[in-house]
C-alpha cells in the first residue's frame, strides 16, 4: 500500500517526529527519569524487557506519552520498538486523517499505541529483523 506525500502527510510526519523527540508527556510529570544518551548498554542506561522484542534492551530516555500508557511504554518498550511505532503511527495518522491538535485524534493515537505494544498480536514474528532507520 502506498501513501501520498502531500502536505498533510508531511505535517503528520513532522508531528510524529516531534512526539519522538519531545514526547507527549505532561510537563509536570514527576515520574520522568533522566538517563544517559542512547549508547549500547552504557552504565546508567535505562534498560527494559521489551514487549516487542522479548529481550533486555535500552529503553526510552523519557516518558513518551501522557498518563498511565506513557508510563507503561517507558517501562516496557525499547528504543528500537519505539522506532517501529513511529513508522506505524505515520500510517495511522494518514489512514485515519488525524489532526494532532484534536483531542479525539489523540485518543485514537493512544488506542493504537496501546494495541501496537500491549494488544493481541503485539509480539513480532520469530526471526523478525527491523529495517535500518532512514537518515
Amino acid at each position: 500500500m502506498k501513501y501520498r506525500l502531500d502536505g498533510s502527510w508531511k505535517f503528520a510526519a513532522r508531528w510524529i517526529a516531534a512526539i519522538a523527540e519531545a514526547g507527549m508527556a505532561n510537563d509536570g510529570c514527576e515520574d520522568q527519569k533522566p538517563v544517559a544518551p542512547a549508547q549500547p548498554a552504557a552504565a546508567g542506561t535505562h534498560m527494559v524487557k521489551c514487549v516487542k522484542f522479548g529481550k533486555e534492551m535500552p529503553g526510552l530516555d523519557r516518558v513518551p506519552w501522557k498518563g498511565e500508557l506513557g508510563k507503561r511504554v517507558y517501562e516496557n518498550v525499547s528504543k528500537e520498538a519505539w522506532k517501529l511505532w513511529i513508522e506505524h503511527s505515520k500510517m495511522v495518522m494518514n489512514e485515519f486523517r488525524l489532526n494532532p491538535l484534536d483531542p479525539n485524534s489523540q485518543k485514537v493515537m493512544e488506542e493504537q499505541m496501546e494495541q501496537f505494544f500491549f494488544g493481541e498480536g503485539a509480539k513480532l514474528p520469530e526471526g523478525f529483523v527491523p529495517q535500518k532507520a532512514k537518515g
Side-chain angles (χ1 to χ4, degrees):
M1 191 178 301
K2 299 239 179 192
Y3 300 100
R4 292 188 330 255
L5 289 178
D6 60 11
S8 63
W9 171 255
K10 290 177 185 175
F11 175 77
R14 285 194 306 271
W15 184 66
I16 296 300
I19 290 173
E21 183 64 30
M24 287 281 299
N26 294 333
D27 290 335
C29 185
E30 298 170 12
D31 291 342
Q32 291 186 12
K33 301 173 188 168
V35 293
Q39 294 178 359
T45 298
H46 171 67
M47 299 297 285
V48 298
K49 170 92 187 233
C50 182
V51 295
K52 273 290 193 197
F53 292 100
K55 61 182 178 180
E56 194 80 10
M57 299 175 75
L60 300 171
D61 293 334
R62 64 174 66 176
V63 177
W65 197 262
K66 61 189 176 210
E68 285 301 313
L69 178 58
K71 292 175 189 174
R72 283 180 64 203
V73 169
Y74 179 78
E75 294 168 354
N76 298 287
V77 174
S78 68
K79 287 182 180 184
E80 287 301 313
W82 184 254
K83 290 177 188 175
L84 293 175
W85 161 249
I86 294 300
E87 291 305 311
H88 179 73
S89 65
K90 290 176 188 176
M91 184 271 305
V92 170
M93 288 287 295
N94 195 44
E95 286 295 310
F96 289 99
R97 299 186 183 277
L98 300 178
N99 173 355
L101 301 177
D102 175 42
N104 290 329
S105 293
Q106 293 173 11
K107 181 71 175 159
V108 170
M109 288 300 289
E110 187 170 314
E111 290 167 355
Q112 291 291 317
M113 185 186 305
E114 171 83 27
Q115 182 65 27
F116 184 81
F117 289 119
F118 306 107
E120 187 175 319
K123 296 281 186 204
L124 293 171
E126 191 164 330
F128 174 82
V129 178
Q131 292 180 328
K132 296 283 184 193
K134 297 177 185 174

